[in-house]
Every structure is written in C-alpha cells, then in structure tokens.
Amino acid sequence: MEVLTFVLSLGTLYSIYVILAASMELEYGELGLPNFAKVAFFAVGAFTVGALSVRLCATLTGVALEGEFKLRSYYYATLLSARISSNPLLGLTVFLVTLIVAVPLSMLLGILASYPALRLREDYLATTLIAFSEILRVITRNYEPLLGGTFGAGVVDFLAWLRSPWRELTMLVLCSSLAAGIWFIQYKLSTSPFGRALRAIRDDELASVAYGKDVAKIRAWTMAIGSGMASVAGVLYAFYIGSVNPDDFTVARTFLVVLMVTVGGRGNPYGSLVGAATYLLLDRVMLFIKHNIPLPFDVNYFSYIILGILILVIIVRKPEGLIPERPPLTVKLNKISESNIIQHNTEK
Amino acid sequence: MSLLEVRDLHAGYGRIEIVSGVSASVSDREILAIVGPNGSGKSTLLKAIFGLCKVFTGNVFFKGVDVTRIPPYRRSLNGLVYLPQTRNVFESLTGRENLELAVRDVHESDFRKRFEGIITFLPEVKGLLNRKVKTMSGGERQMIALAMCLMRTPSLIMLDEPTAALAPNLARHVLERVSELRDEMGLAVVLVEQNALTALEVSDKALLMVSGSTRFYGKPQELLEDRELVKTYLGV
Amino acid sequence: MREPKSMKLDNNFFIAKNISKSFGGLQALHKVSLSIPEASLTLMIGPNGSGKTTFLQIISGILKPDDGRLVFKDHDITSLPPNLRFTLGIASTFQIPRVFPSLSVLENVLMAAGDPTPNPMRALWGVDEHELIEKAFNILKLLSLDHLWNKPASTLSGGQMKLLELARSLMSDPKLLLLDEPLAGVNPALASRIMKFLTELKSCRGIAAFLVEHRLDLALKHVDFVYVLHHGRVISQGSPDDVLEDPLVAKAYLGE
Amino acid sequence: MIEVVVGALVYSNLLAMLSVGLNLILLTCKVSNFAHGDFVMVGVYTALTVSTILGVTPYACLPFALIAGGVISFALYRVVFEPLRTRANLVMLMVVSMALDIILRYSLHIYADLAQAWLKVHTRLFLFDDFLIEFSGVKIPGVLVFSSLTSVILLVSLYLLLFKTRLGTAMRASIENPELAEALGVNVKMVFGLSWFLSGALAAAAGVFLPFRAMVSPDTGWSMLLPTFASVIVGGVGSLSGSLIGAYTIGVAEVFLTYVLASLGVSTAYRPLVSFSAIITVLLVSPKGLSGFLNGKGWKPWKS
C-alpha cells in the first residue's frame, strides 16, 4: 500500500515538473528567452486556487465565510471538502473554474513580461524577471486577505468524492494526461515552422528580423503559451499539496526548472522529459538516504549541493545537455525521401 | 639572412582561407609596403605573421627561427611588434599608463631610458602623457599606439593602415614618420596602406595583393611605372 | 568637373532621396540619392569607411536615416521595420554571413519563406510545407547546395554560407536583392559563378540587385550602373566605363 | 529616528562594499554573480567561529573574514569560471553562479549544523553583541563606526590599487580589452582571479557587520543579493563609483521609505519591494543607470 501511494505521488509530481520543464524548454531552450520568472507563472496558478477554491466553493454551497481568512481558511477547506465528498460535480466545477481563471491571467502576465526582452541584454532580462517574481512573492506573503500571508491558504479537495487510493489514482491520471497534452503541444510547436522561427530568433535575432519575422509578436506568443502551461502546473500543484503558501514559490524553484532543461538538453523537445526525471530521481534517492542513513546534518542540504555540482559538471563538460539538439527538427525526413527530390539528387 | 621571412603562407579564420600562398621577406632597415584593394587579405596577412589568426600551411621565420606556432606575446618579446588598425590603445587609461602597460616587465630606470629615446623621436607624446586616451584625437591615439610599440624596443614593426581615418595631410605626415622609423630608429617595417602611392614612395619593397594572393612582389618603382597597378585597383 | 551621365530618377521601382546619417559627430552619409531600376544590376563602390555598408543597412531597415526618404514601388518605406520591408520584396544579405547555425541548411532556407509570424495554433494540426520544400530544393539545386540539405548550417564553409545567404534571400521571391560584399572571402571561380547567377536572375526573373563590393575585377563587367561613394557622398555615377575614367574616382581610391 | 538613521547608514555601508564587488565581477568576467550573497554569509560564519573560539569581539575577526571570502571566491573562479570564460554565454554564466549559490548556501547550512554541535552556540537567528563608543559625550553604536571605517578603508584601498599601481593599470586594461592586454604580456587570468578575490573579500567583510543589526541564517545572503543588484543597476553597470552612489541611494531609500510607510500603517515586510522595483524601473527606463540618465544616454535601448 505504501509503495502504491509512493508511486502515485511520484507520478503526479513528475507530471507537474514535466509541464514546467516543457514550458521552460519552449521559452528558454527554443526561443532563448531566459524566463527566470517561471515560478511567478507557476504561482499564478497556485495562488488562483488558494484564493478562489474555498471562496468559490463556499459561494456555491451557500456557506458564509466568517472570521479572518488567514486563520479560518484551513477550517473551511476541510468543511467544504466534506461537502464535495457527496457532490462530485461541485469538486469538478471548482477545478475547472480555477483553471479557466488561472490560465488566461497567466498568459496575460506572460505577454507583459515578454516586452522587456525588446530592450534588455539576456542577463539583465533574467535579473529583471527574477525581481518580478520576487515582487509577486513578497506581496502575497504580506497581503494576508488574499492568501493568508505567511499562514498560507487552505485548498478544498476537489476529489474528496473518491476514496483512497482511487483519489490519488485519479489525480495521477488527471495530471499525467494534462502533462502529456502539454508536452505534446510543446513537441508539436517546436517541430513546426513556429519552432523553426523560435530557434532562428535564438540563433540570430537581427537576421530573423531581416528575413521577415515579427520577433516581438513571436516572443509574446511564446511567453503567453509558456506562462499558460506553467499556470496549469501551478493549479495542479496547489490541489496536489492541499494548501498554498507564498513562501513555497521562491526563485529556487525557477532554478530547478532551469536545471531540468539544461540537464535534459536545451533545444530538444525530449529534454524536458529527461531533465524532470533526472531531478526527481536524484531527489528521491536523497529522501531514501535521509530515512535510512543517519547523518549529523539534514541530508536535504546535501541533496541541493549534489544538484548544484551536477549542473556545474554538465555545463562545463557537456553544455548541450543529455540529449543534444539535432537539426533538422522541423522537416520530416521520411517526407523528404518520399518525394523525388532526394532520389533525383542521389542519381546524379 | 633576412629578419622576417614568410614562406607560402595560407591563413584565415575558421575554415575560410583569406591569404592563399604569400611569400615575402624583410631585411634589417627595410620597409615592405603591402598594398592592394580592400578585402584582398592585407590585414589578415599581418595577423597571420603575428599569430592572431589561423595559419593553415606555410611558415613564418623571425630572426631565423620558425615562430609559426608560438603565442603572440612571445613573438613580441623577441622584437616583433604589431600595431593593429583599431582598438590598439586602452581608452580608459592615460597616455602614461598605456606606455607603462606596454613594458610592465621592465624596471623603472629602464623604462625611463626607453622613454627618453622615444621622446626624441615622438616629441608629441610628451604632452599626451597625463591625458586619458578617450579624450584624444585619432592622430594622437596613433601616436600613443606607436609609442607603445616602440617602448618594446622592437627590431621589426608591423603597421596596419596607420593612416586610416586620418585627414589626408595628416596621413602624409604619418607616412613620412614611418620612413624615419627606418632611418633614425633603425627598424624594419611592414606597412599595410590604403594610400598606395605615398606608401610606395617611402618603401624599399612592395607586395601587391589581390584576392589573397601575390600579384606583384619587388621594387616599388617598378610597380609605380606599371600602368597595371592603377588598373588592378579598379579591376580591369 | 565632368558632368556625370545621370540615371533618370523617374523610375518608380526604388528611389533613395537625400539620405543622411551621422554617428555621434561623424557624418557617415551626406544627402545620398540614387535610384535602382527594375531588373538591373547596380553596384556601389568606394574606399573603406566611405559609408557603403551604412547606406545598405539603411535600405534594408537595420539603421534609420537621420534625414531623407526611401520609396519602393510607390510605398514610402522610410520608417518601415526590416521585417515588413522583407515582406514587400526587399531581401538583403549580410557582409559576414549570418546563417542560423543550429538549423539545417534546408530549414535556413525555409525560414525565409512563409508566414512572418507562424501561427502556433496551426502548428498543432500540422503544416503542409510540401510545396515550400520543393521550392527550397530547387533554389538549393541552383546553387549546388542541395546535397547538404540536412547538415547543420554551422558546419558549412565560408563560401557555402555565402551561397546559403543568397538561397535564403531568393526564397521569398524578392523584387530587390541587397547584397553586402557577396564576393568577399570567396574564391574567384565561385565569385564569377555568383555574378553570372545574379545576371541570370536579372534576365530570367526580373530581379534587381544592388551590390556593395570591393572586388571590382569580378563585379564590374556584369553590372549596369555604378555609384561611387566617398566620405559619405556620391562622387561619381554612370556606366562602368564612365566611372573608371572619372579622375575623381582614381583620386579617391589612390589617395593623392 | 536616530535608530533609523543609524540603520540606514550601516545598511548602506554594507551595500557599498557588496555592490562594488559585484560590479567588479560584472566588469571583468561579465558574470551576474548570484553567489555574491553567499560570500557575505562566509564572512558571517567566519566571524562567528573565530570570535567564539578566540573569545574576542567579532570586529577583530575582520582579517579572517577577508581572507576566507577572498580565497573561496578566487577558488571558485579558478575551478569554474575560468574554464568557461571564453565559451559560455551570459545566461549560462548566470546559471552557473546560481548553481554555486546553491552549493555555497547549503554547505553553509551544513556548517551551521556542525558548528552548533561543536561550538555550542546558536548558529541560526543569532545576533552579535555590540557596544557603544563615546565621542565627546555622544554615544554611537560600534557597528556604525566600524562598518563606516571598514568600508571607507577598503574602498579607498581598492581605488588606490586600481588607479595608482601598475597592477591596477593592468586590471583596467584587461577589463577594457583582454586580447590586447594579453598580447602585451598581461596575465589576464590572474588579473581576473584577483578581481574575484577582492570581490569575495569585500562581501565577507560586509558579512562581519551584518549580524550586529539583523538576525541571520545561511539563507540571509539571498536577501542581501537583490538590493546589491539594485545598487549596481541604479548606479550603472560598469561604473564602480556609480555603484557607490547606487548603494547609498538604495540603502537610504529602503530604510526611510519603509519607515515612512510603517508610520502610515503599512507592514515593514514590504521593504524588499523598494529595491526590486528599483531594478525593474531603472532597467526599463534607463538601462545605463543614473549616470546614463544624467548624460542623456539613458533612453536609448541598451540592446545593440
């Protein structure tokens, strides 16, 4: 039984990380835009759930919310989850509504965040975006009426109508199918003419403009798509954890995603799958050590150090990542050889 | 024995060959002028001799030693110096600091002695010592750059278009000074020049490059008498 | 001064009027005017630093002129960004080839075709690029690059990159090609092939080309009209023979 | 009110040492060094360890902190950044420095755990004991006097090193044009290594004074980092004297704005917003910082 829950939660976490890595891959790996505010868009999804799920559910069931939100949100989350256990439709409504609110909100923010790229060098752009994500965190952790500040906010269990382990299994199926869909979108985009334009802009922005591409528009599109993806991950994460705490959304999380993309291989659509797996594997191994081998300090620290060293080694020794980018990505080989173009050529 | 000898040099950047098979030699107290249309590989040839670009085949001998594979700064210790066309001075430093930097391995007293020697040749430099290079005009910058080279007590100096971006009268003045380098300082000079006619007047040898290879190599007078030169420049 | 045979400024294909540009205190271009007729080869020459590349970058839209107007087929394109000029039919190449190193040769060529902002929504359903690929292959064949189609562009030699730039700019069926030193760093055999190729484009497809070039020996015999730039001014213009005999030109090139 | 002024001055002194060091690395190696805050914590823990063992005031541990910060910083340059100098792009270098931030930060966490058991003192959320110094009847907190003295002495020596010695000339030359400097026989690698040493040492020196004003833990370095970036960006990247102005602008603005807002009933926890929004505003409006703005160059896009 314990093994089953372990596998189920591992799969759910992996799905969430794949979504994040896929969105980062699109923005940073393909377009070369270092979106170091990734955690902010992830947080938009989670914060929407944190701010809305209890309130929405209360409105729908006619429960009046009393007292300070920061002190009472967990209480109401439990209370309302009990309502959902007898009313599956209510749970699904909460899930869908939060998703429908979070994604466009995040996309809009993404378009806004694509504009500094017009005038800033990459490293200053990255610094700006980091500052942006920290602003979001500082505001939410201190503005208590929204998310309960440092107390965090309770989140209703929209799958409360299912019993364990069916609840966890459904969560996994939901997360993994969303992740598969999002990864597939990323795959399709990067192997289409759109992906070609992205890599061209990454390689040489000026030449892309000279060959007719509207760089600002393409960047805005990409940031919108990537941010939408990240917010889906945020919504799933909030429901998976069961609460939202602003301090969970620090720059370190952005860095983890950058790490996944760098390890997996930037510019390769499969990189996000491998990168997320590598990170999770390492994380779990460390967790295992923590529980089984006594050390005089918290082994979590050690796992972070290993992560840091890993990324250093990869950047210094194998900067292209575990699966390097290989052209041509956007032209199908079999299609080419089918046409007589190649045959004609080989006959010569 | 000649001071510098280049044998069948093929050089360029990355995979692109820009100099294809040039041979030449320079003896003591001799000026070699390298002329030719833009893009014919003159500057690349100088860089190849100094070791700043890729040499595919061929050799460079300096003072009889094959220096093709040794790093640039060691060539400059041996007495071969190179004055690039652009970015040849440190703009954020003063004139004195630039000179000090050129000979930072030298003792203070030696520095002073060398400096005295240069001042007699380039008296203008004296007034530039305490000014930041970024406040100087193009001609003044060239003076500092030349002084930096001379502080290293070279036996051969390679100049890449020292008159580029200078007003015509100033350019002529600079080229006259180049001949003084030979006559007064006793140096050998390799000169790449746009102002072909003036450059040929002051030189002892001429190399005409077109599209990376030698079109003419010999006495400047012969080149000047040849109507071919003018036509080569304009491509007929 | 001999009156140069001026080209009539009444064609409505491409006209640049009184283009001026300065960087800091340096006046790089001073009221340069010229016109390029349809289906012609026009050459601009001049010593180093005379402002040729600056002028070319102004036509392609990378730089903005301080003053003056550019008219292309009755459109005022003076303030148009480069990507919109490209869609109008002005394609330009760079002096040092700027291929997209991580794309394949074929992808590089395809980049120049199709939508200026490829719709990400359409990507999900798959895009049929069959015709474009065929067209790209035909262009690559013309320039004998087709056997390299799936190589990353970063592995090409310098000359091949030059050809790839040319192939890329042909992909959009341009009306006017702007070429910045297409022959620099190219061996003589290839250089004369490129010039012949441009002549063919002119006569068969009616494509006009405007070249900035140093290699006069190779370029001059193919072109219809020559402008000579010196210190940011047009000092001479006319047919190749006229310009060669102009004493001002010799002076500009040889110094005093 | 006096407390606020003292706080602002001490904080600005620390930011000055930090931002000059950060800018030095940006100038030489083009690294936006996100591990810079951790050198502060190296200084903090060196001071804590040495002062506990020797039983002296943390002020006396300044030399140890300088050396520890400098040596660690130099070592990181030699092992990591020097091999990457000519081949990594700007964002890669930034990612590398973030990895180093993680390595250093969690190494310090481990050290804090070990030191707690070994030294039997609190290694998290501790404060150093300060004392008052009397100047003609006025009592001044020691940290104000010592941090001001230290930052003035260190920054003046840095100025003298850069502008009055041959080594400094070589350093400035290498910053402007490393290829030419190398051709003239300057050992550019060592010169850049020196800049890392100086940067780390300055940051660690700032670390000695930090626990006199604020409770620290190994994560505190991060909270010092973005205000440091803000100081550099406000003063203009590439101008060391600009960083100095930026540090005092950000330091004073942060403390006083928070004070004003607090008196209006707004939580002091919003304090970091001052420097975060300064980063965004300055980069978007005038990417070359205040100096660029004053020269009228600020409005042009930074990107070339």
Side-chain angles (χ1 to χ4, degrees), chain A:
Chain A
M1 197 61 202
E2 205 178 281
V3 177
L4 182 67
T5 20
F6 178 74
V7 171
L8 290 178
S9 85
L10 195 64
T12 309
L13 260 185
Y14 179 65
S15 307
I16 291 171
Y17 280 130
V18 163
I19 298 177
L20 283 177
S23 73
M24 190 61 135
E25 159 63 25
L26 201 62
E27 294 160 347
Y28 177 48
E30 309 273 331
L31 180 61
L33 191 154
N35 182 5
F36 284 13
K38 180 93 293 158
V39 68
F41 302 103
F42 181 57
V44 166
F47 291 172
T48 310
V49 175
L52 278 189
S53 75
V54 167
R55 292 184 171 107
L56 182 71
C57 211
T59 318
L60 289 177
T61 52
V63 173
L65 295 176
E66 286 164 1
E68 263 190 282
F69 185 74
K70 70 171 178 180
L71 299 174
R72 305 279 284 168
S73 75
Y74 289 95
Y75 164 75
Y76 278 112
T78 323
L79 183 87
L80 293 163
S81 297
R83 296 278 174 106
I84 292 175
S85 62
S86 57
N87 187 357
L89 203 64
L90 178 64
L92 290 181
T93 313
V94 171
F95 176 70
L96 285 178
V97 169
T98 45
L99 203 60
I100 289 170
V101 172
V103 173
L105 189 66
S106 183
M107 288 176 87
L108 221 65
L109 267 179
I111 293 174
L112 199 72
S114 80
Y115 279 97
L118 286 178
R119 31 188 304 154
L120 292 178
R121 214 172 75 180
E122 291 87 346
D123 50 343
Y124 299 115
L125 175 66
T127 312
T128 309
L129 290 172
I130 285 176
F132 168 70
S133 77
E134 284 286 87
I135 286 181
L136 187 68
R137 184 177 69 86
V138 169
I139 290 180
T140 47
R141 91 187 280 268
N142 293 309
Y143 184 65
E144 288 168 346
L146 184 68
L147 280 167
T150 43
F151 288 82
V155 170
V156 300
D157 181 2
F158 79 104
L159 292 173
W161 41 281
L162 285 167
R163 243 178 266 174
S164 191
W166 299 111
R167 196 195 90 81
E168 284 74 21
L169 188 66
T170 314
M171 189 68 190
L172 172 64
V173 171
L174 181 72
C175 288
S176 54
S177 47
L178 276 173
I182 284 177
W183 181 82
F184 186 69
I185 291 176
Q186 180 252 151
Y187 175 82
K188 274 303 226 186
L189 286 178
S190 59
T191 52
S192 73
F194 185 71
R196 186 153 65 218
L198 295 189
R199 276 191 296 279
I201 293 169
R202 177 195 65 191
D203 282 359
D204 194 328
E205 192 180 323
L206 182 63
S208 317
V209 177
Y211 286 100
K213 299 296 178 225
D214 189 339
V215 173
K217 213 165 163 184
I218 293 176
R219 254 202 297 251
W221 261 118
T222 315
M223 281 293 279
I225 296 169
S227 307
M229 289 175 171
S231 69
V232 172
V235 168
L236 294 176
Y237 183 75
F239 280 118
Y240 167 71
I241 298 287
S243 66
V244 174
N245 192 329
D247 276 339
D248 199 11
F249 298 87
T250 58
V251 179
R253 210 168 270 280
T254 299
F255 183 70
L256 282 185
V257 184
V258 176
L259 170 108
M260 289 175 207
V261 172
T262 313
V263 170
R266 283 174 309 138
N268 191 308
Y270 298 98
S272 46
L273 295 179
V274 176
T278 315
Y279 164 67
L280 219 56
L281 185 77
L282 203 73
D283 192 56
R284 294 297 125 157
V285 169
M286 285 300 153
L287 213 64
F288 177 81
I289 295 176
K290 181 181 183 176
H291 289 304
N292 295 290
I293 303 170
L295 282 172
F297 48 82
D298 190 348
V299 76
N300 268 359
Y301 300 144
F302 205 63
S303 79
Y304 281 113
I305 295 176
I306 302 267
L307 266 183
I309 292 175
L310 177 77
I311 192 163
L312 284 187
V313 169
I314 286 193
I315 289 183
V316 175
R317 295 274 158 207
K318 202 169 160 45
E320 69 278 8
L322 294 179
I323 349 180
E325 178 178 348
R326 255 186 236 104
L329 269 169
T330 63
V331 181
K332 292 280 170 296
L333 285 170
N334 50 356
K335 269 196 188 157
I336 294 284
S337 44
E338 267 169 33
S339 68
N340 54 9
I341 299 167
I342 288 298
Q343 286 160 13
H344 181 85
N345 184 45
T346 43
E347 276 161 24
K348 255 198 296 194

Side-chain angles (χ1 to χ4, degrees), chain B residues 50 72-73 76 84 87-93 97-98 100-106 108 111 132 148 152, chain D residues 162-174 176-187 191:
Chain B
F50 197 64
Y73 78 92
S76 82
R87 281 172 66 81
N88 50 19
V89 278
F90 297 103
E91 288 193 0
S92 57
L93 308 185
E97 284 170 337
N98 266 286
E100 281 173 358
L101 203 72
V103 286
R104 53 195 293 281
D105 35 6
V106 171
E108 183 67 34
F111 176 84
K132 283 245 171 163
M148 276 167 80
R152 300 181 72 81
Chain D
L162 275 175
F163 291 94
K164 300 289 168 205
T165 66
R166 280 199 181 184
L167 182 61
T169 313
M171 225 164 146
R172 284 180 294 141
S174 308
E176 188 193 318
N177 190 342
E179 291 85 20
L180 183 58
E182 206 149 25
L184 290 171
V186 175
N187 189 341
V191 167

